[in-house]
Amino acid sequence: MPDTRRALLDALADGPVPGPELADRLGVSRAAVWKQVEALREDGLGIESTDDGYRVTDVSEFGGAAIAYGLDAPFEIEYHDSIGSTNERVRELADEGREDVAVVANEQTAGRGRLDRGWTGPSGGVYCSLLLRPDVPLAHSPVYTLAAAVAVARAAREAGVDARIKWPNDVLVLDDESERGGQKLCGILTEMEGEADRVKWLIVGIGINANVEPEDLPEGATSLLAERGEPVDRRIFTQRLLETFDELRSDPDSILDAWREHAATLGQRVRVETPGGEVVGKTVDVEFPGALIVETDDGERERVTAGDCEHLRPV
Ligand code: BT5
């Protein structure tokens, strides 16, 4: 049935379509079309029956149908008003063998960050986890985190917020006052499972503080609402996010350049806590699949593949 739903949404996106024509185009009965239209209405999409056929009149309610309507990316959308963690939900879908699903939630009650840290997820956010099955070596997985960060930065910019990427998994709004040089707008948690060194599934979990008040977030966080001074259209934002991510993953060579363009971390003095110890120096580049190249104070070039990165003030 999800295929019919998506085909129906795509048909409706072209303008009003009479029920019989929809049934023909979708290869299902008129009763089946009617049932699907009702289901979309229940999901919050405004659909009117006019003399010319069914017409979408209202997409203002954030939800699965609204996000899928007019979406130019092949993700199936599963929407939750409230959920524990979208990454956890995607894990279940991965076990069912699914692919290219975006689980999107308005609120998370048990959101996760990296290294057993938590992610605060009040109502009004965009918490989105993608289930991907790229046919690539496990070692390439960090590039999907970079792609997600680029997609968030671009969608934020389209919404009028100048967002920058902090390696490896944060998107910030820069300022001069805060400790880390900016306020955190988004965090990304990528998880994976491999089979013989290839990716079996990859989950890219993206948490964006969209229409939430900074008082409801940890210290050092900001939101699109706070930066814009008015709510963002989460449907458009989520669509742009998914579309950009989809474009980038289909052209992995473009990801690093796009990342460099939006990075706050390049040219910065940083301290990175890596599993192998602390690295301090100036960042000079990022290399595939997402390693940070740091020139240390004694002139060494260190290639850092994982860790917590802190932006330091210039010496
Ligand atoms: C991250 O971890 O930044 C990854 C966050 C990923 C969240 C998404 S939401 C959709 C999907 N489902 C999930 O359950 N998770 C993913 P990390 O770099 O470890 O940063 C975590 C730290 O950020 C916390 O310890 C807090 O200090 C801070 N933090 C928590 N919630 C925040 C928020 N809403 N905004 C900004 N900072 C926050």
Side-chain angles (χ1 to χ4, degrees), residues 83-88 103 108 110-122 126-129 166 168-171 180 183-191 203-209 212 216-222 308:
I83 194 171
S85 153
T86 53
N87 267 38
E88 287 305 313
V103 174
Q108 271 189 157
R112 291 192 292 110
R114 295 178 305 150
L115 308 171
D116 287 332
R117 291 186 285 236
W119 184 258
T120 308
V126 173
Y127 310 101
C128 172
S129 296
K166 173 168 162 290
N169 70 320
D170 290 349
V171 180
R180 53 157 98 88
Q183 311 262 93
K184 187 157 166 172
L185 180 70
C186 158
I188 299 163
L189 173 66
T190 301
E191 300 179 288
I203 300 173
V204 182
I206 309 165
I208 300 126
N209 302 324
V212 301
D216 297 330
L217 298 170
E219 187 148 350
T222 189
D308 271 326

Side-chain angles (χ1 to χ4, degrees), residues 283-298:
T283 55
V284 289
D285 200 9
V286 64
E287 278 179 7
F288 189 87
L292 195 63
I293 309 300
V294 182
E295 212 169 76
T296 62
D297 295 341
D298 44 20

Side-chain angles (χ1 to χ4, degrees), residues 5 8 31-45 47 49 54:
R5 179 188 165 98
L8 174 60
V33 167
W34 182 82
K35 239 173 107 177
Q36 283 290 326
V37 168
E38 281 308 302
L40 292 176
R41 281 179 174 146
E42 265 165 40
D43 273 3
L45 205 65
I47 305 178
S49 309
Y54 291 113

Side-chain angles (χ1 to χ4, degrees), residues 18-251:
E21 192 186 317
L22 277 174
D24 268 2
R25 272 168 73 171
L26 274 51
V28 298
S29 68
R30 278 200 225 178
V33 167
W34 182 82
K35 239 173 107 177
Q36 283 290 326
V37 168
E38 281 308 302
L40 292 176
R41 281 179 174 146
E42 265 165 40
D43 273 3
L45 205 65
I47 305 178
E48 234 175 49
S49 309
T50 67
D51 291 346
D52 299 330
Y54 291 113
R55 187 209 315 268
V56 173
T57 51
D58 184 9
V59 290
S60 58
E61 191 177 324
F62 188 54
I67 297 166
Y69 176 69
L71 174 67
D72 187 15
F75 294 105
E76 197 185 304
I77 312 294
E78 180 182 296
Y79 176 79
H80 298 262
D81 250 337
S82 181
I83 194 171
S85 153
T86 53
N87 267 38
E88 287 305 313
R89 172 62 189 143
V90 167
R91 229 169 233 272
E92 294 171 5
L93 298 175
D95 289 342
E96 291 170 17
R98 304 271 294 279
E99 179 177 2
D100 280 357
V101 185
V103 174
V104 181
N106 159 67
E107 174 185 54
Q108 271 189 157
T109 54
R112 291 192 292 110
R114 295 178 305 150
L115 308 171
D116 287 332
R117 291 186 285 236
W119 184 258
T120 308
S123 172
V126 173
Y127 310 101
C128 172
S129 296
L130 307 175
L131 172 54
L132 314 168
R133 294 184 187 273
D135 183 15
V136 299
L138 258 187
H140 288 190
S141 51
V143 84
Y144 295 90
T145 305
L146 301 196
V150 172
V152 171
R154 285 204 185 144
R157 287 198 175 196
E158 265 191 53
V161 175
D162 186 5
R164 301 273 160 171
I165 304 166
K166 173 168 162 290
W167 186 91
N169 70 320
D170 290 349
V171 180
L172 308 180
V173 175
L174 302 185
D175 64 18
D176 292 331
E177 298 101 56
S178 52
E179 268 294 282
R180 53 157 98 88
Q183 311 262 93
K184 187 157 166 172
L185 180 70
C186 158
I188 299 163
L189 173 66
T190 301
E191 300 179 288
M192 72 219 76
E193 190 164 281
E195 213 167 46
D197 285 343
R198 309 284 297 177
V199 168
K200 185 172 170 209
W201 51 251
L202 195 68
I203 300 173
V204 182
I206 309 165
I208 300 126
N209 302 324
N211 295 335
V212 301
E213 299 287 354
E215 300 86 276
D216 297 330
L217 298 170
E219 187 148 350
T222 189
S223 67
L224 292 172
L225 172 67
E227 298 299 327
R228 287 162 49 88
E230 60 177 346
V232 67
D233 183 332
R234 286 185 291 166
R235 167 180 174 257
I236 301 284
F237 181 89
T238 308
Q239 288 183 334
R240 290 294 167 270
L241 173 70
L242 296 175
E243 288 164 359
T244 306
F245 183 86
D246 183 51
E247 246 172 62
L248 291 167
R249 72 163 165 172
S250 61
D251 182 13

